[in-house]
Amino acid sequence: MIDPHAPAPPGTPRPWGAPAPLPVRPGTGRFLVLACVFVCAACGLVYELELVALASYLIGDSVTQASVVLSVMVFAMGVGSLAAKRLRWHAAAGFAAVEAALALIGGCSAMALYAVFAWTGGWGGLWATGPRCLLVAFSLAIGLLIGAEVPLLMELIQRIRRQDAGGAVADLFAADYVGALVGGLAFPFLLLPFLGQLTGTLLTGTVNVVAGGALVLGLFRRDLSRRARWTLLVANVTVLGVLASAAVLVGDFERAARHAVYGADVRVALQTDVQEIVLTGGTHGRPLDLFLDGRLRVGGRDERRYHEALVHPAMSGPHARVLILGGGDGMAAREVLRHPGVDRVDIVELDAGLVRLARHDPALAALNGHVYDDPHVHVFTADAFQWLRDAPRSGYSGYDVVIADLPDPGITASTKLYSQEFYGLARRALAPGGRLVVHAGPVQARPRAFWTVAATIRAAGLATTPYRVLGHDAGFTPGPDRSAGESRTPHDWGFVLATAGSHAPPLRLPADGPRLRTLTEGALERDALKTPAAGPPPSTLVHPRY
């Protein structure tokens, strides 16, 4: 006959409801479990936000990437919760294993995703969607592990002191949601600006594995056999070693990945409050290229072709007061100041860091003609949409020319700057007979987006004249999607010239304007585009169509 009071061997699962032998009082034990729930929830949300942010930067279209990450992760959490039911009788060991795996996968996910994009993003073919596939894989794996946490933690907290299920769930979810709040706030305000995406994610993994390992080895160690404790300790130390090694090498990794993406001629790389700015070339006769968030913004071989086509047709007519929305690199202002009779140029640029670089970097300042030293130029650090809303109250209106030199319309953050409401505000800023010119993206590569811009401008009560100019192939994407298909610059740029009223503005160059290097009157006439009879519907703030 078996003695019912005989102690079970180490590692034997305890029956449901039996209290676990703890080195602390039950109240303290419950507090430690809930504190671990808080930390793990914060780490889980950081992994989630990191995948969204990095995917938006590497792949583009933040709405799509956020939808993919969130939907896949929530689905995987449900699957993980069901799978964790099999581990309930080994809850302590299972939770420790889940946290170690989550720390390793989540902590290294940013580096792995960036590495695949940097070194294999240009392979094309079947691997053109490689970064997207890896994004889904990481979302699935992290979601499975996060979903497995809750049933195991519920089992552990019930082993300390049995309570009704509703009360245990309420305590557990309260700690979980508060932790998610802290993680959600820590990512944009602490981790991202001070540590960056890679180091911040590695630190999150370190906190994750320490919290999980400390809870199990410190509070529930008697639930584990001696062999299980040593196995868990070795696994956690190994994960910590991997994360620490990656943190030590993250600087070299970033430089190597940046060279793989931009080439070996990277001269300046900085992260501002708004975006990542990279300058390549600009010395020893090499052309200067400016990249904003990984997309080619100024190509040294072609920038005059682009900026001359953007600025000079709009300068045909009165041009004493000119407003440039965007254009923090100073190139559009350089072309404006080549015209006689310009009294004032106002530049509204969101990124003060870009303006500082354009003012002080020798190569970039030389390329923009040191426009920021010109007394006619006035800079406002503001969002273009909000600035236009406040302009009448601030006394800024009556512009002869408004130039919208903004990021591609397909980038989600720029969608509102290509909306009917935005063009209505721009129309209000124009003087009678004033002209608006908009960079509307490539016509050949993204015709739907281009003609949507034209239709949106017309919906705001402006008559339009669309045109385009051809450019060279720079081998790097300027548009919203950095990973789909070939990484190639479109062979053209599309623009829309507009004015208030029912008569489309003539497409011509000023008779008294400067001599241009790349643009002629005849070429401009040939590049005029015929507006389709039935174009796409306009884009609005509540219904963006890009």
CSV table of all heavy atoms in Angstrom, one decimal, residues 442-479:
chain,number,residue,atom,x,y,z
A,442,PRO,N,5.9,58.8,-60.2
A,442,PRO,CA,6.2,58.4,-61.5
A,442,PRO,C,4.9,58.0,-62.3
A,442,PRO,O,4.0,57.4,-61.7
A,442,PRO,CB,7.1,57.1,-61.3
A,442,PRO,CG,6.7,56.6,-60.0
A,442,PRO,CD,6.4,57.8,-59.1
A,443,VAL,N,4.9,58.4,-63.5
A,443,VAL,CA,3.7,58.1,-64.4
A,443,VAL,C,3.8,56.7,-64.9
A,443,VAL,O,2.8,56.0,-64.9
A,443,VAL,CB,3.6,59.1,-65.5
A,443,VAL,CG1,2.4,58.8,-66.4
A,443,VAL,CG2,3.6,60.6,-65.0
A,444,GLN,N,5.0,56.3,-65.3
A,444,GLN,CA,5.1,55.0,-66.0
A,444,GLN,C,5.0,53.9,-65.0
A,444,GLN,O,4.3,52.9,-65.2
A,444,GLN,CB,6.5,54.9,-66.6
A,444,GLN,CG,6.8,53.6,-67.3
A,444,GLN,CD,8.1,53.6,-68.0
A,444,GLN,OE1,8.6,54.6,-68.5
A,444,GLN,NE2,8.8,52.4,-68.1
A,445,ALA,N,5.6,54.0,-63.8
A,445,ALA,CA,5.6,52.9,-62.8
A,445,ALA,C,4.3,52.9,-62.0
A,445,ALA,O,3.8,51.8,-61.6
A,445,ALA,CB,6.8,53.0,-61.9
A,446,ARG,N,3.7,54.0,-61.7
A,446,ARG,CA,2.5,54.1,-60.8
A,446,ARG,C,1.5,55.0,-61.4
A,446,ARG,O,1.2,56.1,-60.9
A,446,ARG,CB,2.9,54.5,-59.4
A,446,ARG,CG,3.9,53.6,-58.8
A,446,ARG,CD,4.2,53.9,-57.3
A,446,ARG,NE,3.1,53.7,-56.5
A,446,ARG,CZ,2.5,54.6,-55.7
A,446,ARG,NH1,3.0,55.8,-55.6
A,446,ARG,NH2,1.5,54.2,-54.9
A,447,PRO,N,0.9,54.7,-62.6
A,447,PRO,CA,0.0,55.6,-63.3
A,447,PRO,C,-1.3,55.9,-62.4
A,447,PRO,O,-1.8,57.0,-62.5
A,447,PRO,CB,-0.3,54.9,-64.6
A,447,PRO,CG,0.0,53.5,-64.3
A,447,PRO,CD,1.1,53.4,-63.4
A,448,ARG,N,-1.8,54.9,-61.7
A,448,ARG,CA,-3.0,55.1,-61.0
A,448,ARG,C,-2.8,56.2,-59.9
A,448,ARG,O,-3.6,57.1,-59.7
A,448,ARG,CB,-3.5,53.8,-60.3
A,448,ARG,CG,-4.8,54.0,-59.5
A,448,ARG,CD,-5.2,52.7,-58.9
A,448,ARG,NE,-6.4,52.8,-58.1
A,448,ARG,CZ,-6.4,53.3,-56.8
A,448,ARG,NH1,-5.2,53.5,-56.3
A,448,ARG,NH2,-7.5,53.4,-56.2
A,449,ALA,N,-1.7,56.1,-59.2
A,449,ALA,CA,-1.4,57.1,-58.2
A,449,ALA,C,-1.2,58.5,-58.8
A,449,ALA,O,-1.7,59.5,-58.2
A,449,ALA,CB,-0.1,56.7,-57.4
A,450,PHE,N,-0.5,58.6,-59.9
A,450,PHE,CA,-0.3,59.9,-60.6
A,450,PHE,C,-1.7,60.5,-60.9
A,450,PHE,O,-1.9,61.7,-60.6
A,450,PHE,CB,0.5,59.7,-61.8
A,450,PHE,CG,0.7,61.0,-62.6
A,450,PHE,CD1,1.6,61.9,-62.2
A,450,PHE,CD2,-0.1,61.3,-63.7
A,450,PHE,CE1,1.8,63.1,-62.9
A,450,PHE,CE2,0.0,62.4,-64.4
A,450,PHE,CZ,1.0,63.4,-64.0
A,451,TRP,N,-2.5,59.7,-61.6
A,451,TRP,CA,-3.8,60.3,-62.0
A,451,TRP,C,-4.8,60.6,-60.9
A,451,TRP,O,-5.7,61.4,-61.0
A,451,TRP,CB,-4.4,59.5,-63.1
A,451,TRP,CG,-3.6,59.5,-64.4
A,451,TRP,CD1,-3.0,58.5,-65.0
A,451,TRP,CD2,-3.5,60.7,-65.2
A,451,TRP,NE1,-2.3,58.9,-66.1
A,451,TRP,CE2,-2.6,60.3,-66.3
A,451,TRP,CE3,-3.9,62.0,-65.2
A,451,TRP,CZ2,-2.3,61.1,-67.3
A,451,TRP,CZ3,-3.5,62.9,-66.2
A,451,TRP,CH2,-2.7,62.4,-67.2
A,452,THR,N,-4.6,59.8,-59.8
A,452,THR,CA,-5.4,60.1,-58.6
A,452,THR,C,-5.0,61.5,-58.0
A,452,THR,O,-5.8,62.3,-57.6
A,452,THR,CB,-5.2,59.0,-57.5
A,452,THR,OG1,-5.6,57.8,-58.0
A,452,THR,CG2,-5.9,59.3,-56.3
A,453,VAL,N,-3.7,61.8,-58.0
A,453,VAL,CA,-3.2,63.1,-57.6
A,453,VAL,C,-3.9,64.2,-58.5
A,453,VAL,O,-4.4,65.2,-58.0
A,453,VAL,CB,-1.7,63.3,-57.6
A,453,VAL,CG1,-1.3,64.7,-57.4
A,453,VAL,CG2,-1.1,62.3,-56.7
A,454,ALA,N,-3.9,64.0,-59.8
A,454,ALA,CA,-4.4,65.0,-60.7
A,454,ALA,C,-5.9,65.2,-60.4
A,454,ALA,O,-6.5,66.3,-60.4
A,454,ALA,CB,-4.2,64.6,-62.1
A,455,ALA,N,-6.6,64.1,-60.2
A,455,ALA,CA,-8.1,64.1,-60.0
A,455,ALA,C,-8.4,64.8,-58.6
A,455,ALA,O,-9.4,65.5,-58.5
A,455,ALA,CB,-8.7,62.7,-60.0
A,456,THR,N,-7.5,64.6,-57.6
A,456,THR,CA,-7.7,65.2,-56.3
A,456,THR,C,-7.5,66.7,-56.4
A,456,THR,O,-8.3,67.5,-55.8
A,456,THR,CB,-6.8,64.6,-55.3
A,456,THR,OG1,-6.9,63.1,-55.3
A,456,THR,CG2,-7.0,65.1,-53.9
A,457,ILE,N,-6.5,67.1,-57.2
A,457,ILE,CA,-6.3,68.6,-57.3
A,457,ILE,C,-7.5,69.2,-58.0
A,457,ILE,O,-8.0,70.3,-57.6
A,457,ILE,CB,-5.0,68.8,-58.1
A,457,ILE,CG1,-3.8,68.3,-57.3
A,457,ILE,CG2,-4.8,70.3,-58.4
A,457,ILE,CD1,-2.5,68.4,-58.0
A,458,ARG,N,-8.0,68.6,-59.0
A,458,ARG,CA,-9.2,69.1,-59.7
A,458,ARG,C,-10.4,69.2,-58.8
A,458,ARG,O,-11.2,70.1,-58.8
A,458,ARG,CB,-9.5,68.3,-60.9
A,458,ARG,CG,-8.5,68.4,-62.1
A,458,ARG,CD,-9.1,67.9,-63.4
A,458,ARG,NE,-9.5,66.5,-63.3
A,458,ARG,CZ,-8.7,65.5,-63.5
A,458,ARG,NH1,-7.4,65.7,-63.8
A,458,ARG,NH2,-9.2,64.3,-63.4
A,459,ALA,N,-10.5,68.2,-57.9
A,459,ALA,CA,-11.7,68.2,-57.0
A,459,ALA,C,-11.6,69.3,-56.0
A,459,ALA,O,-12.6,69.7,-55.4
A,459,ALA,CB,-11.7,66.8,-56.2
A,460,ALA,N,-10.4,69.9,-55.8
A,460,ALA,CA,-10.2,71.0,-54.8
A,460,ALA,C,-10.5,72.3,-55.5
A,460,ALA,O,-10.3,73.4,-54.9
A,460,ALA,CB,-8.8,71.0,-54.3
A,461,GLY,N,-11.0,72.3,-56.8
A,461,GLY,CA,-11.3,73.5,-57.5
A,461,GLY,C,-10.2,74.2,-58.3
A,461,GLY,O,-10.2,75.4,-58.5
A,462,LEU,N,-9.2,73.4,-58.6
A,462,LEU,CA,-8.1,73.9,-59.4
A,462,LEU,C,-8.1,73.2,-60.8
A,462,LEU,O,-8.4,72.0,-60.9
A,462,LEU,CB,-6.8,73.5,-58.7
A,462,LEU,CG,-6.6,74.2,-57.3
A,462,LEU,CD1,-5.5,73.4,-56.5
A,462,LEU,CD2,-6.1,75.6,-57.5
A,463,ALA,N,-7.7,74.0,-61.8
A,463,ALA,CA,-7.6,73.5,-63.1
A,463,ALA,C,-6.1,73.0,-63.3
A,463,ALA,O,-5.2,73.6,-62.8
A,463,ALA,CB,-7.9,74.6,-64.2
A,464,THR,N,-5.9,71.9,-64.0
A,464,THR,CA,-4.6,71.2,-63.9
A,464,THR,C,-4.1,71.0,-65.3
A,464,THR,O,-4.8,70.9,-66.3
A,464,THR,CB,-4.8,69.8,-63.3
A,464,THR,OG1,-5.7,69.0,-64.1
A,464,THR,CG2,-5.3,69.9,-61.9
A,465,THR,N,-2.7,71.0,-65.4
A,465,THR,CA,-1.9,70.6,-66.5
A,465,THR,C,-0.9,69.6,-66.1
A,465,THR,O,0.1,70.0,-65.5
A,465,THR,CB,-1.3,71.9,-67.1
A,465,THR,OG1,-2.2,72.8,-67.5
A,465,THR,CG2,-0.5,71.5,-68.4
A,466,PRO,N,-1.1,68.3,-66.4
A,466,PRO,CA,-0.1,67.3,-66.0
A,466,PRO,C,1.0,67.2,-67.0
A,466,PRO,O,0.8,67.4,-68.2
A,466,PRO,CB,-1.0,66.0,-65.9
A,466,PRO,CG,-2.1,66.3,-66.9
A,466,PRO,CD,-2.4,67.7,-66.9
A,467,TYR,N,2.2,66.9,-66.5
A,467,TYR,CA,3.3,66.7,-67.4
A,467,TYR,C,4.3,65.8,-66.7
A,467,TYR,O,4.2,65.5,-65.5
A,467,TYR,CB,4.0,68.0,-67.8
A,467,TYR,CG,4.6,68.8,-66.7
A,467,TYR,CD1,5.9,68.8,-66.5
A,467,TYR,CD2,3.8,69.6,-65.8
A,467,TYR,CE1,6.5,69.6,-65.4
A,467,TYR,CE2,4.3,70.3,-64.8
A,467,TYR,CZ,5.7,70.3,-64.6
A,467,TYR,OH,6.2,71.1,-63.6
A,468,ARG,N,5.3,65.4,-67.5
A,468,ARG,CA,6.4,64.5,-66.9
A,468,ARG,C,7.7,64.8,-67.6
A,468,ARG,O,7.7,65.4,-68.7
A,468,ARG,CB,6.0,63.0,-67.1
A,468,ARG,CG,6.1,62.6,-68.5
A,468,ARG,CD,6.0,61.1,-68.6
A,468,ARG,NE,6.3,60.6,-70.0
A,468,ARG,CZ,6.5,59.3,-70.3
A,468,ARG,NH1,6.4,58.4,-69.3
A,468,ARG,NH2,6.7,58.9,-71.5
A,469,VAL,N,8.8,64.4,-67.0
A,469,VAL,CA,10.1,64.4,-67.6
A,469,VAL,C,10.8,63.1,-67.4
A,469,VAL,O,10.5,62.4,-66.4
A,469,VAL,CB,11.0,65.6,-67.0
A,469,VAL,CG1,10.4,66.9,-67.3
A,469,VAL,CG2,11.2,65.4,-65.5
A,470,LEU,N,11.6,62.7,-68.3
A,470,LEU,CA,12.3,61.4,-68.2
A,470,LEU,C,13.5,61.6,-67.3
A,470,LEU,O,14.2,62.6,-67.3
A,470,LEU,CB,12.7,60.9,-69.6
A,470,LEU,CG,11.5,60.7,-70.5
A,470,LEU,CD1,12.1,60.3,-71.9
A,470,LEU,CD2,10.6,59.6,-70.0
A,471,GLY,N,13.9,60.5,-66.6
A,471,GLY,CA,15.1,60.5,-65.8
A,471,GLY,C,15.9,59.2,-66.1
A,471,GLY,O,15.5,58.3,-66.8
A,472,HIS,N,17.1,59.2,-65.5
A,472,HIS,CA,18.0,58.0,-65.7
A,472,HIS,C,17.6,57.0,-64.6
A,472,HIS,O,17.0,57.3,-63.6
A,472,HIS,CB,19.4,58.5,-65.5
A,472,HIS,CG,19.9,59.3,-66.6
A,472,HIS,ND1,20.3,60.7,-66.4
A,472,HIS,CD2,20.2,59.1,-67.9
A,472,HIS,CE1,20.7,61.2,-67.5
A,472,HIS,NE2,20.6,60.3,-68.4
A,473,ASP,N,18.1,55.8,-64.9
A,473,ASP,CA,17.9,54.7,-64.0
A,473,ASP,C,19.0,54.7,-62.9
A,473,ASP,O,20.1,54.5,-63.2
A,473,ASP,CB,17.9,53.4,-64.7
A,473,ASP,CG,17.5,52.2,-63.9
A,473,ASP,OD1,17.4,52.4,-62.6
A,473,ASP,OD2,17.4,51.1,-64.4
A,474,ALA,N,18.6,55.0,-61.6
A,474,ALA,CA,19.6,55.0,-60.6
A,474,ALA,C,19.8,53.7,-59.9
A,474,ALA,O,20.6,53.6,-59.0
A,474,ALA,CB,19.2,56.1,-59.6
A,475,GLY,N,18.9,52.7,-60.1
A,475,GLY,CA,19.1,51.4,-59.5
A,475,GLY,C,18.7,51.4,-58.0
A,475,GLY,O,19.1,50.5,-57.3
A,476,PHE,N,17.9,52.4,-57.6
A,476,PHE,CA,17.4,52.4,-56.2
A,476,PHE,C,16.0,53.0,-56.2
A,476,PHE,O,15.8,54.0,-56.9
A,476,PHE,CB,18.3,53.3,-55.4
A,476,PHE,CG,18.3,52.9,-53.9
A,476,PHE,CD1,19.3,52.1,-53.4
A,476,PHE,CD2,17.3,53.3,-53.1
A,476,PHE,CE1,19.3,51.7,-52.1
A,476,PHE,CE2,17.3,53.0,-51.8
A,476,PHE,CZ,18.3,52.1,-51.2
A,477,THR,N,15.1,52.4,-55.4
A,477,THR,CA,13.7,52.9,-55.4
A,477,THR,C,13.5,54.2,-54.7
A,477,THR,O,14.1,54.3,-53.6
A,477,THR,CB,12.8,51.8,-54.8
A,477,THR,OG1,11.5,52.3,-54.8
A,477,THR,CG2,13.3,51.4,-53.4
A,478,PRO,N,12.8,55.1,-55.2
A,478,PRO,CA,12.4,56.3,-54.5
A,478,PRO,C,11.0,56.2,-53.9
A,478,PRO,O,10.6,57.0,-53.1
A,478,PRO,CB,12.4,57.4,-55.5
A,478,PRO,CG,12.0,56.7,-56.8
A,478,PRO,CD,12.5,55.3,-56.7
A,479,GLY,N,10.3,55.2,-54.3
A,479,GLY,CA,8.9,55.1,-54.0
A,479,GLY,C,8.6,54.4,-52.7
A,479,GLY,O,9.4,54.2,-51.9
